mmCIF file with all atom_site columns, all heavy atoms in Angstrom:
data_model
loop_
_atom_site.group_PDB
_atom_site.id
_atom_site.type_symbol
_atom_site.label_atom_id
_atom_site.label_alt_id
_atom_site.label_comp_id
_atom_site.label_asym_id
_atom_site.label_entity_id
_atom_site.label_seq_id
_atom_site.pdbx_PDB_ins_code
_atom_site.Cartn_x
_atom_site.Cartn_y
_atom_site.Cartn_z
_atom_site.occupancy
_atom_site.B_iso_or_equiv
_atom_site.pdbx_formal_charge
_atom_site.auth_seq_id
_atom_site.auth_comp_id
_atom_site.auth_asym_id
_atom_site.auth_atom_id
_atom_site.pdbx_PDB_model_num
ATOM   1   N N   . LYS A 1 22  ? -13.511 -32.570 -10.929 1.00 0.00 ? 22  LYS A N   1
ATOM   2   C CA  . LYS A 1 22  ? -14.983 -32.598 -10.989 1.00 0.00 ? 22  LYS A CA  1
ATOM   3   C C   . LYS A 1 22  ? -15.522 -31.225 -11.398 1.00 0.00 ? 22  LYS A C   1
ATOM   4   O O   . LYS A 1 22  ? -16.346 -31.122 -12.295 1.00 0.00 ? 22  LYS A O   1
ATOM   5   C CB  . LYS A 1 22  ? -15.540 -32.977 -9.610  1.00 0.00 ? 22  LYS A CB  1
ATOM   6   C CG  . LYS A 1 22  ? -17.010 -32.687 -9.436  1.00 0.00 ? 22  LYS A CG  1
ATOM   7   C CD  . LYS A 1 22  ? -17.529 -33.066 -8.067  1.00 0.00 ? 22  LYS A CD  1
ATOM   8   C CE  . LYS A 1 22  ? -17.397 -32.019 -7.000  1.00 0.00 ? 22  LYS A CE  1
ATOM   9   N NZ  . LYS A 1 22  ? -18.391 -30.920 -7.028  1.00 0.00 ? 22  LYS A NZ  1
ATOM   10  N N   . ASN A 1 23  ? -15.025 -30.179 -10.727 1.00 0.00 ? 23  ASN A N   1
ATOM   11  C CA  . ASN A 1 23  ? -15.616 -28.864 -10.949 1.00 0.00 ? 23  ASN A CA  1
ATOM   12  C C   . ASN A 1 23  ? -15.190 -28.228 -12.273 1.00 0.00 ? 23  ASN A C   1
ATOM   13  O O   . ASN A 1 23  ? -15.797 -27.253 -12.718 1.00 0.00 ? 23  ASN A O   1
ATOM   14  C CB  . ASN A 1 23  ? -15.313 -27.937 -9.768  1.00 0.00 ? 23  ASN A CB  1
ATOM   15  C CG  . ASN A 1 23  ? -16.115 -28.354 -8.543  1.00 0.00 ? 23  ASN A CG  1
ATOM   16  O OD1 . ASN A 1 23  ? -17.020 -29.192 -8.643  1.00 0.00 ? 23  ASN A OD1 1
ATOM   17  N ND2 . ASN A 1 23  ? -15.785 -27.789 -7.392  1.00 0.00 ? 23  ASN A ND2 1
ATOM   18  N N   . ALA A 1 94  ? -25.019 -27.923 -9.121  1.00 0.00 ? 94  ALA A N   1
ATOM   19  C CA  . ALA A 1 94  ? -24.196 -27.489 -10.264 1.00 0.00 ? 94  ALA A CA  1
ATOM   20  C C   . ALA A 1 94  ? -24.912 -27.689 -11.596 1.00 0.00 ? 94  ALA A C   1
ATOM   21  O O   . ALA A 1 94  ? -24.455 -27.182 -12.618 1.00 0.00 ? 94  ALA A O   1
ATOM   22  C CB  . ALA A 1 94  ? -22.866 -28.247 -10.254 1.00 0.00 ? 94  ALA A CB  1
ATOM   23  N N   . ARG A 1 122 ? -27.919 -21.070 -1.762  1.00 0.00 ? 122 ARG A N   1
ATOM   24  C CA  . ARG A 1 122 ? -27.175 -21.038 -3.033  1.00 0.00 ? 122 ARG A CA  1
ATOM   25  C C   . ARG A 1 122 ? -27.971 -20.201 -4.040  1.00 0.00 ? 122 ARG A C   1
ATOM   26  O O   . ARG A 1 122 ? -28.662 -20.743 -4.898  1.00 0.00 ? 122 ARG A O   1
ATOM   27  C CB  . ARG A 1 122 ? -26.979 -22.469 -3.571  1.00 0.00 ? 122 ARG A CB  1
ATOM   28  C CG  . ARG A 1 122 ? -26.300 -23.450 -2.626  1.00 0.00 ? 122 ARG A CG  1
ATOM   29  C CD  . ARG A 1 122 ? -24.806 -23.317 -2.543  1.00 0.00 ? 122 ARG A CD  1
ATOM   30  N NE  . ARG A 1 122 ? -24.081 -23.643 -3.744  1.00 0.00 ? 122 ARG A NE  1
ATOM   31  C CZ  . ARG A 1 122 ? -23.570 -24.837 -4.042  1.00 0.00 ? 122 ARG A CZ  1
ATOM   32  N NH1 . ARG A 1 122 ? -23.732 -25.839 -3.224  1.00 0.00 ? 122 ARG A NH1 1
ATOM   33  N NH2 . ARG A 1 122 ? -22.886 -25.028 -5.150  1.00 0.00 ? 122 ARG A NH2 1
ATOM   34  N N   . PRO A 1 123 ? -27.875 -18.864 -3.933  1.00 0.00 ? 123 PRO A N   1
ATOM   35  C CA  . PRO A 1 123 ? -28.668 -18.017 -4.829  1.00 0.00 ? 123 PRO A CA  1
ATOM   36  C C   . PRO A 1 123 ? -28.154 -18.086 -6.270  1.00 0.00 ? 123 PRO A C   1
ATOM   37  O O   . PRO A 1 123 ? -27.025 -18.505 -6.507  1.00 0.00 ? 123 PRO A O   1
ATOM   38  C CB  . PRO A 1 123 ? -28.465 -16.612 -4.260  1.00 0.00 ? 123 PRO A CB  1
ATOM   39  C CG  . PRO A 1 123 ? -27.167 -16.664 -3.534  1.00 0.00 ? 123 PRO A CG  1
ATOM   40  C CD  . PRO A 1 123 ? -26.981 -18.075 -3.057  1.00 0.00 ? 123 PRO A CD  1
ATOM   41  N N   . ILE A 1 124 ? -29.005 -17.677 -7.223  1.00 0.00 ? 124 ILE A N   1
ATOM   42  C CA  . ILE A 1 124 ? -28.545 -17.637 -8.619  1.00 0.00 ? 124 ILE A CA  1
ATOM   43  C C   . ILE A 1 124 ? -28.788 -16.260 -9.246  1.00 0.00 ? 124 ILE A C   1
ATOM   44  O O   . ILE A 1 124 ? -28.875 -16.123 -10.457 1.00 0.00 ? 124 ILE A O   1
ATOM   45  C CB  . ILE A 1 124 ? -29.201 -18.752 -9.476  1.00 0.00 ? 124 ILE A CB  1
ATOM   46  C CG1 . ILE A 1 124 ? -30.727 -18.611 -9.477  1.00 0.00 ? 124 ILE A CG1 1
ATOM   47  C CG2 . ILE A 1 124 ? -28.789 -20.130 -9.059  1.00 0.00 ? 124 ILE A CG2 1
ATOM   48  C CD1 . ILE A 1 124 ? -31.335 -19.155 -10.759 1.00 0.00 ? 124 ILE A CD1 1
ATOM   49  N N   . ASP A 1 125 ? -28.906 -15.222 -8.374  1.00 0.00 ? 125 ASP A N   1
ATOM   50  C CA  . ASP A 1 125 ? -29.169 -13.878 -8.907  1.00 0.00 ? 125 ASP A CA  1
ATOM   51  C C   . ASP A 1 125 ? -28.089 -13.418 -9.882  1.00 0.00 ? 125 ASP A C   1
ATOM   52  O O   . ASP A 1 125 ? -28.379 -12.747 -10.867 1.00 0.00 ? 125 ASP A O   1
ATOM   53  C CB  . ASP A 1 125 ? -29.306 -12.885 -7.731  1.00 0.00 ? 125 ASP A CB  1
ATOM   54  C CG  . ASP A 1 125 ? -28.096 -12.915 -6.806  1.00 0.00 ? 125 ASP A CG  1
ATOM   55  O OD1 . ASP A 1 125 ? -27.681 -14.023 -6.397  1.00 0.00 ? 125 ASP A OD1 1
ATOM   56  O OD2 . ASP A 1 125 ? -27.546 -11.851 -6.496  1.00 0.00 ? 125 ASP A OD2 1
ATOM   57  N N   . LEU A 1 126 ? -26.848 -13.802 -9.637  1.00 0.00 ? 126 LEU A N   1
ATOM   58  C CA  . LEU A 1 126 ? -25.770 -13.334 -10.523 1.00 0.00 ? 126 LEU A CA  1
ATOM   59  C C   . LEU A 1 126 ? -25.797 -14.072 -11.864 1.00 0.00 ? 126 LEU A C   1
ATOM   60  O O   . LEU A 1 126 ? -25.455 -13.498 -12.896 1.00 0.00 ? 126 LEU A O   1
ATOM   61  C CB  . LEU A 1 126 ? -24.405 -13.493 -9.833  1.00 0.00 ? 126 LEU A CB  1
ATOM   62  C CG  . LEU A 1 126 ? -24.239 -12.658 -8.551  1.00 0.00 ? 126 LEU A CG  1
ATOM   63  C CD1 . LEU A 1 126 ? -22.949 -13.024 -7.811  1.00 0.00 ? 126 LEU A CD1 1
ATOM   64  C CD2 . LEU A 1 126 ? -24.246 -11.151 -8.871  1.00 0.00 ? 126 LEU A CD2 1
ATOM   65  N N   . HIS A 1 127 ? -26.236 -15.330 -11.859 1.00 0.00 ? 127 HIS A N   1
ATOM   66  C CA  . HIS A 1 127 ? -26.403 -16.055 -13.126 1.00 0.00 ? 127 HIS A CA  1
ATOM   67  C C   . HIS A 1 127 ? -27.447 -15.312 -13.967 1.00 0.00 ? 127 HIS A C   1
ATOM   68  O O   . HIS A 1 127 ? -27.279 -15.105 -15.168 1.00 0.00 ? 127 HIS A O   1
ATOM   69  C CB  . HIS A 1 127 ? -26.907 -17.489 -12.893 1.00 0.00 ? 127 HIS A CB  1
ATOM   70  C CG  . HIS A 1 127 ? -25.992 -18.344 -12.059 1.00 0.00 ? 127 HIS A CG  1
ATOM   71  N ND1 . HIS A 1 127 ? -25.428 -19.511 -12.540 1.00 0.00 ? 127 HIS A ND1 1
ATOM   72  C CD2 . HIS A 1 127 ? -25.552 -18.231 -10.784 1.00 0.00 ? 127 HIS A CD2 1
ATOM   73  C CE1 . HIS A 1 127 ? -24.696 -20.073 -11.585 1.00 0.00 ? 127 HIS A CE1 1
ATOM   74  N NE2 . HIS A 1 127 ? -24.765 -19.311 -10.509 1.00 0.00 ? 127 HIS A NE2 1
ATOM   75  N N   . PHE A 1 163 ? -20.413 -11.892 -1.924  1.00 0.00 ? 163 PHE A N   1
ATOM   76  C CA  . PHE A 1 163 ? -19.361 -12.815 -1.473  1.00 0.00 ? 163 PHE A CA  1
ATOM   77  C C   . PHE A 1 163 ? -18.229 -12.914 -2.493  1.00 0.00 ? 163 PHE A C   1
ATOM   78  O O   . PHE A 1 163 ? -17.508 -13.901 -2.547  1.00 0.00 ? 163 PHE A O   1
ATOM   79  C CB  . PHE A 1 163 ? -19.960 -14.196 -1.183  1.00 0.00 ? 163 PHE A CB  1
ATOM   80  C CG  . PHE A 1 163 ? -20.932 -14.149 -0.030  1.00 0.00 ? 163 PHE A CG  1
ATOM   81  C CD1 . PHE A 1 163 ? -22.287 -13.971 -0.258  1.00 0.00 ? 163 PHE A CD1 1
ATOM   82  C CD2 . PHE A 1 163 ? -20.468 -14.220 1.272   1.00 0.00 ? 163 PHE A CD2 1
ATOM   83  C CE1 . PHE A 1 163 ? -23.177 -13.894 0.799   1.00 0.00 ? 163 PHE A CE1 1
ATOM   84  C CE2 . PHE A 1 163 ? -21.354 -14.137 2.343   1.00 0.00 ? 163 PHE A CE2 1
ATOM   85  C CZ  . PHE A 1 163 ? -22.715 -13.972 2.110   1.00 0.00 ? 163 PHE A CZ  1
ATOM   86  N N   . THR A 1 166 ? -18.503 -15.316 -8.721  1.00 0.00 ? 166 THR A N   1
ATOM   87  C CA  . THR A 1 166 ? -19.229 -16.582 -8.764  1.00 0.00 ? 166 THR A CA  1
ATOM   88  C C   . THR A 1 166 ? -18.653 -17.475 -9.865  1.00 0.00 ? 166 THR A C   1
ATOM   89  O O   . THR A 1 166 ? -18.541 -17.037 -11.016 1.00 0.00 ? 166 THR A O   1
ATOM   90  C CB  . THR A 1 166 ? -20.748 -16.385 -8.963  1.00 0.00 ? 166 THR A CB  1
ATOM   91  O OG1 . THR A 1 166 ? -21.315 -17.609 -9.445  1.00 0.00 ? 166 THR A OG1 1
ATOM   92  C CG2 . THR A 1 166 ? -21.084 -15.279 -9.961  1.00 0.00 ? 166 THR A CG2 1
ATOM   93  N N   . VAL A 1 167 ? -18.324 -18.709 -9.498  1.00 0.00 ? 167 VAL A N   1
ATOM   94  C CA  . VAL A 1 167 ? -17.670 -19.613 -10.442 1.00 0.00 ? 167 VAL A CA  1
ATOM   95  C C   . VAL A 1 167 ? -18.647 -20.034 -11.540 1.00 0.00 ? 167 VAL A C   1
ATOM   96  O O   . VAL A 1 167 ? -18.426 -19.784 -12.731 1.00 0.00 ? 167 VAL A O   1
ATOM   97  C CB  . VAL A 1 167 ? -17.109 -20.859 -9.702  1.00 0.00 ? 167 VAL A CB  1
ATOM   98  C CG1 . VAL A 1 167 ? -16.502 -21.839 -10.692 1.00 0.00 ? 167 VAL A CG1 1
ATOM   99  C CG2 . VAL A 1 167 ? -16.085 -20.442 -8.657  1.00 0.00 ? 167 VAL A CG2 1
ATOM   100 N N   . LEU A 1 168 ? -19.762 -20.643 -11.151 1.00 0.00 ? 168 LEU A N   1
ATOM   101 C CA  . LEU A 1 168 ? -20.694 -21.131 -12.174 1.00 0.00 ? 168 LEU A CA  1
ATOM   102 C C   . LEU A 1 168 ? -21.473 -19.983 -12.808 1.00 0.00 ? 168 LEU A C   1
ATOM   103 O O   . LEU A 1 168 ? -21.903 -20.085 -13.962 1.00 0.00 ? 168 LEU A O   1
ATOM   104 C CB  . LEU A 1 168 ? -21.642 -22.181 -11.585 1.00 0.00 ? 168 LEU A CB  1
ATOM   105 C CG  . LEU A 1 168 ? -20.967 -23.505 -11.217 1.00 0.00 ? 168 LEU A CG  1
ATOM   106 C CD1 . LEU A 1 168 ? -21.972 -24.472 -10.596 1.00 0.00 ? 168 LEU A CD1 1
ATOM   107 C CD2 . LEU A 1 168 ? -20.317 -24.168 -12.431 1.00 0.00 ? 168 LEU A CD2 1
ATOM   108 N N   . THR A 1 307 ? -12.878 -22.588 -0.317  1.00 0.00 ? 307 THR A N   1
ATOM   109 C CA  . THR A 1 307 ? -13.880 -23.044 0.652   1.00 0.00 ? 307 THR A CA  1
ATOM   110 C C   . THR A 1 307 ? -13.987 -24.573 0.633   1.00 0.00 ? 307 THR A C   1
ATOM   111 O O   . THR A 1 307 ? -14.304 -25.194 1.652   1.00 0.00 ? 307 THR A O   1
ATOM   112 C CB  . THR A 1 307 ? -15.259 -22.407 0.367   1.00 0.00 ? 307 THR A CB  1
ATOM   113 O OG1 . THR A 1 307 ? -16.223 -23.024 1.204   1.00 0.00 ? 307 THR A OG1 1
ATOM   114 C CG2 . THR A 1 307 ? -15.703 -22.564 -1.074  1.00 0.00 ? 307 THR A CG2 1
ATOM   115 N N   . ASP A 1 308 ? -13.679 -25.168 -0.512  1.00 0.00 ? 308 ASP A N   1
ATOM   116 C CA  . ASP A 1 308 ? -13.811 -26.626 -0.628  1.00 0.00 ? 308 ASP A CA  1
ATOM   117 C C   . ASP A 1 308 ? -12.730 -27.404 0.127   1.00 0.00 ? 308 ASP A C   1
ATOM   118 O O   . ASP A 1 308 ? -12.772 -28.641 0.132   1.00 0.00 ? 308 ASP A O   1
ATOM   119 C CB  . ASP A 1 308 ? -13.811 -27.030 -2.117  1.00 0.00 ? 308 ASP A CB  1
ATOM   120 C CG  . ASP A 1 308 ? -15.051 -26.545 -2.839  1.00 0.00 ? 308 ASP A CG  1
ATOM   121 O OD1 . ASP A 1 308 ? -16.028 -26.196 -2.160  1.00 0.00 ? 308 ASP A OD1 1
ATOM   122 O OD2 . ASP A 1 308 ? -15.035 -26.499 -4.083  1.00 0.00 ? 308 ASP A OD2 1
ATOM   123 N N   . ILE A 1 330 ? -16.886 -17.546 1.980   1.00 0.00 ? 330 ILE A N   1
ATOM   124 C CA  . ILE A 1 330 ? -17.672 -17.834 0.775   1.00 0.00 ? 330 ILE A CA  1
ATOM   125 C C   . ILE A 1 330 ? -19.065 -18.340 1.164   1.00 0.00 ? 330 ILE A C   1
ATOM   126 O O   . ILE A 1 330 ? -20.070 -17.846 0.673   1.00 0.00 ? 330 ILE A O   1
ATOM   127 C CB  . ILE A 1 330 ? -16.968 -18.897 -0.119  1.00 0.00 ? 330 ILE A CB  1
ATOM   128 C CG1 . ILE A 1 330 ? -15.499 -18.519 -0.366  1.00 0.00 ? 330 ILE A CG1 1
ATOM   129 C CG2 . ILE A 1 330 ? -17.739 -19.094 -1.436  1.00 0.00 ? 330 ILE A CG2 1
ATOM   130 C CD1 . ILE A 1 330 ? -15.276 -17.324 -1.235  1.00 0.00 ? 330 ILE A CD1 1
ATOM   131 N N   . TYR A 1 331 ? -19.096 -19.346 2.023   1.00 0.00 ? 331 TYR A N   1
ATOM   132 C CA  . TYR A 1 331 ? -20.370 -19.888 2.517   1.00 0.00 ? 331 TYR A CA  1
ATOM   133 C C   . TYR A 1 331 ? -20.331 -19.819 4.044   1.00 0.00 ? 331 TYR A C   1
ATOM   134 O O   . TYR A 1 331 ? -19.871 -20.760 4.699   1.00 0.00 ? 331 TYR A O   1
ATOM   135 C CB  . TYR A 1 331 ? -20.555 -21.342 2.074   1.00 0.00 ? 331 TYR A CB  1
ATOM   136 C CG  . TYR A 1 331 ? -20.701 -21.519 0.587   1.00 0.00 ? 331 TYR A CG  1
ATOM   137 C CD1 . TYR A 1 331 ? -19.716 -22.153 -0.164  1.00 0.00 ? 331 TYR A CD1 1
ATOM   138 C CD2 . TYR A 1 331 ? -21.834 -21.054 -0.080  1.00 0.00 ? 331 TYR A CD2 1
ATOM   139 C CE1 . TYR A 1 331 ? -19.850 -22.315 -1.536  1.00 0.00 ? 331 TYR A CE1 1
ATOM   140 C CE2 . TYR A 1 331 ? -21.973 -21.212 -1.442  1.00 0.00 ? 331 TYR A CE2 1
ATOM   141 C CZ  . TYR A 1 331 ? -20.980 -21.845 -2.159  1.00 0.00 ? 331 TYR A CZ  1
ATOM   142 O OH  . TYR A 1 331 ? -21.123 -21.991 -3.513  1.00 0.00 ? 331 TYR A OH  1
ATOM   143 N N   . ARG A 1 334 ? -21.099 -22.917 6.165   1.00 0.00 ? 334 ARG A N   1
ATOM   144 C CA  . ARG A 1 334 ? -20.559 -24.218 5.769   1.00 0.00 ? 334 ARG A CA  1
ATOM   145 C C   . ARG A 1 334 ? -19.773 -24.854 6.930   1.00 0.00 ? 334 ARG A C   1
ATOM   146 O O   . ARG A 1 334 ? -18.555 -25.050 6.847   1.00 0.00 ? 334 ARG A O   1
ATOM   147 C CB  . ARG A 1 334 ? -19.642 -24.038 4.556   1.00 0.00 ? 334 ARG A CB  1
ATOM   148 C CG  . ARG A 1 334 ? -19.294 -25.333 3.868   1.00 0.00 ? 334 ARG A CG  1
ATOM   149 C CD  . ARG A 1 334 ? -18.497 -25.097 2.606   1.00 0.00 ? 334 ARG A CD  1
ATOM   150 N NE  . ARG A 1 334 ? -18.538 -26.281 1.769   1.00 0.00 ? 334 ARG A NE  1
ATOM   151 C CZ  . ARG A 1 334 ? -18.014 -26.367 0.561   1.00 0.00 ? 334 ARG A CZ  1
ATOM   152 N NH1 . ARG A 1 334 ? -17.370 -25.348 0.047   1.00 0.00 ? 334 ARG A NH1 1
ATOM   153 N NH2 . ARG A 1 334 ? -18.106 -27.477 -0.123  1.00 0.00 ? 334 ARG A NH2 1
ATOM   154 N N   . ARG A 1 374 ? -17.518 -32.179 1.186   1.00 0.00 ? 374 ARG A N   1
ATOM   155 C CA  . ARG A 1 374 ? -16.214 -31.875 1.804   1.00 0.00 ? 374 ARG A CA  1
ATOM   156 C C   . ARG A 1 374 ? -16.235 -32.161 3.304   1.00 0.00 ? 374 ARG A C   1
ATOM   157 O O   . ARG A 1 374 ? -15.207 -32.497 3.891   1.00 0.00 ? 374 ARG A O   1
ATOM   158 C CB  . ARG A 1 374 ? -15.820 -30.419 1.533   1.00 0.00 ? 374 ARG A CB  1
ATOM   159 C CG  . ARG A 1 374 ? -15.903 -30.038 0.057   1.00 0.00 ? 374 ARG A CG  1
ATOM   160 C CD  . ARG A 1 374 ? -15.042 -30.914 -0.842  1.00 0.00 ? 374 ARG A CD  1
ATOM   161 N NE  . ARG A 1 374 ? -15.281 -30.612 -2.259  1.00 0.00 ? 374 ARG A NE  1
ATOM   162 C CZ  . ARG A 1 374 ? -14.760 -31.289 -3.268  1.00 0.00 ? 374 ARG A CZ  1
ATOM   163 N NH1 . ARG A 1 374 ? -13.977 -32.317 -3.052  1.00 0.00 ? 374 ARG A NH1 1
ATOM   164 N NH2 . ARG A 1 374 ? -15.028 -30.962 -4.508  1.00 0.00 ? 374 ARG A NH2 1
HETATM 165 N N1  . EPU B 2 .   ? -23.499 -16.319 -5.089  1.00 0.00 ? 1   EPU B N1  1
HETATM 166 C C1  . EPU B 2 .   ? -24.450 -15.325 -5.120  1.00 0.00 ? 1   EPU B C1  1
HETATM 167 N N2  . EPU B 2 .   ? -25.264 -15.252 -6.208  1.00 0.00 ? 1   EPU B N2  1
HETATM 168 C C2  . EPU B 2 .   ? -25.152 -16.095 -7.272  1.00 0.00 ? 1   EPU B C2  1
HETATM 169 C C3  . EPU B 2 .   ? -24.171 -17.110 -7.230  1.00 0.00 ? 1   EPU B C3  1
HETATM 170 C C4  . EPU B 2 .   ? -23.360 -17.202 -6.126  1.00 0.00 ? 1   EPU B C4  1
HETATM 171 O O1  . EPU B 2 .   ? -24.565 -14.540 -4.197  1.00 0.00 ? 1   EPU B O1  1
HETATM 172 O O2  . EPU B 2 .   ? -25.914 -15.948 -8.233  1.00 0.00 ? 1   EPU B O2  1
HETATM 173 C C5  . EPU B 2 .   ? -22.633 -16.436 -3.916  1.00 0.00 ? 1   EPU B C5  1
HETATM 174 C C6  . EPU B 2 .   ? -22.718 -17.791 -3.230  1.00 0.00 ? 1   EPU B C6  1
HETATM 175 O O3  . EPU B 2 .   ? -23.801 -17.853 -2.323  1.00 0.00 ? 1   EPU B O3  1
HETATM 176 C C7  . EPU B 2 .   ? -21.385 -17.879 -2.542  1.00 0.00 ? 1   EPU B C7  1
HETATM 177 C C8  . EPU B 2 .   ? -20.447 -17.184 -3.539  1.00 0.00 ? 1   EPU B C8  1
HETATM 178 O O4  . EPU B 2 .   ? -21.290 -16.384 -4.360  1.00 0.00 ? 1   EPU B O4  1
HETATM 179 O O5  . EPU B 2 .   ? -21.403 -17.116 -1.372  1.00 0.00 ? 1   EPU B O5  1
HETATM 180 C C9  . EPU B 2 .   ? -19.656 -18.123 -4.412  1.00 0.00 ? 1   EPU B C9  1
HETATM 181 O O6  . EPU B 2 .   ? -20.486 -19.094 -5.000  1.00 0.00 ? 1   EPU B O6  1
HETATM 182 P P1  . EPU B 2 .   ? -20.220 -19.644 -6.447  1.00 0.00 ? 1   EPU B P1  1
HETATM 183 O O7  . EPU B 2 .   ? -21.290 -19.205 -7.355  1.00 0.00 ? 1   EPU B O7  1
HETATM 184 O O8  . EPU B 2 .   ? -18.812 -19.326 -6.856  1.00 0.00 ? 1   EPU B O8  1
HETATM 185 O O9  . EPU B 2 .   ? -20.382 -21.221 -6.238  1.00 0.00 ? 1   EPU B O9  1
HETATM 186 P P2  . EPU B 2 .   ? -20.765 -22.242 -7.363  1.00 0.00 ? 1   EPU B P2  1
HETATM 187 O O10 . EPU B 2 .   ? -20.241 -21.762 -8.652  1.00 0.00 ? 1   EPU B O10 1
HETATM 188 O O11 . EPU B 2 .   ? -22.207 -22.578 -7.266  1.00 0.00 ? 1   EPU B O11 1
HETATM 189 C C10 . EPU B 2 .   ? -18.584 -23.668 -7.254  1.00 0.00 ? 1   EPU B C10 1
HETATM 190 C C11 . EPU B 2 .   ? -18.217 -25.092 -6.901  1.00 0.00 ? 1   EPU B C11 1
HETATM 191 C C12 . EPU B 2 .   ? -18.374 -25.317 -5.403  1.00 0.00 ? 1   EPU B C12 1
HETATM 192 C C13 . EPU B 2 .   ? -17.488 -24.309 -4.667  1.00 0.00 ? 1   EPU B C13 1
HETATM 193 C C14 . EPU B 2 .   ? -17.853 -22.871 -5.097  1.00 0.00 ? 1   EPU B C14 1
HETATM 194 C C15 . EPU B 2 .   ? -16.949 -21.827 -4.498  1.00 0.00 ? 1   EPU B C15 1
HETATM 195 C C16 . EPU B 2 .   ? -18.743 -26.306 -8.890  1.00 0.00 ? 1   EPU B C16 1
HETATM 196 C C17 . EPU B 2 .   ? -19.546 -27.352 -9.547  1.00 0.00 ? 1   EPU B C17 1
HETATM 197 N N3  . EPU B 2 .   ? -19.050 -26.016 -7.633  1.00 0.00 ? 1   EPU B N3  1
HETATM 198 O O12 . EPU B 2 .   ? -19.965 -23.526 -6.895  1.00 0.00 ? 1   EPU B O12 1
HETATM 199 O O13 . EPU B 2 .   ? -17.898 -26.634 -5.153  1.00 0.00 ? 1   EPU B O13 1
HETATM 200 O O14 . EPU B 2 .   ? -17.648 -24.443 -3.288  1.00 0.00 ? 1   EPU B O14 1
HETATM 201 O O15 . EPU B 2 .   ? -17.756 -22.763 -6.547  1.00 0.00 ? 1   EPU B O15 1
HETATM 202 O O16 . EPU B 2 .   ? -15.643 -22.031 -4.880  1.00 0.00 ? 1   EPU B O16 1
HETATM 203 O O17 . EPU B 2 .   ? -17.816 -25.789 -9.485  1.00 0.00 ? 1   EPU B O17 1
HETATM 204 C C18 . EPU B 2 .   ? -17.720 -28.693 -4.039  1.00 0.00 ? 1   EPU B C18 1
HETATM 205 O O18 . EPU B 2 .   ? -17.066 -29.139 -4.996  1.00 0.00 ? 1   EPU B O18 1
HETATM 206 O O19 . EPU B 2 .   ? -17.800 -29.315 -2.934  1.00 0.00 ? 1   EPU B O19 1
HETATM 207 C C19 . EPU B 2 .   ? -18.434 -27.423 -4.169  1.00 0.00 ? 1   EPU B C19 1
HETATM 208 C C20 . EPU B 2 .   ? -19.458 -27.084 -3.396  1.00 0.00 ? 1   EPU B C20 1
#
Side-chain angles (χ1 to χ4, degrees):
K22 165 180 87 78
N23 288 349
R122 304 281 294 267
I124 59 151
D125 55 311
L126 297 172
H127 300 241
F163 295 93
T166 160
V167 177
L168 291 178
T307 172
D308 292 343
I330 310 291
Y331 294 112
R334 194 175 198 175
R374 309 302 173 186

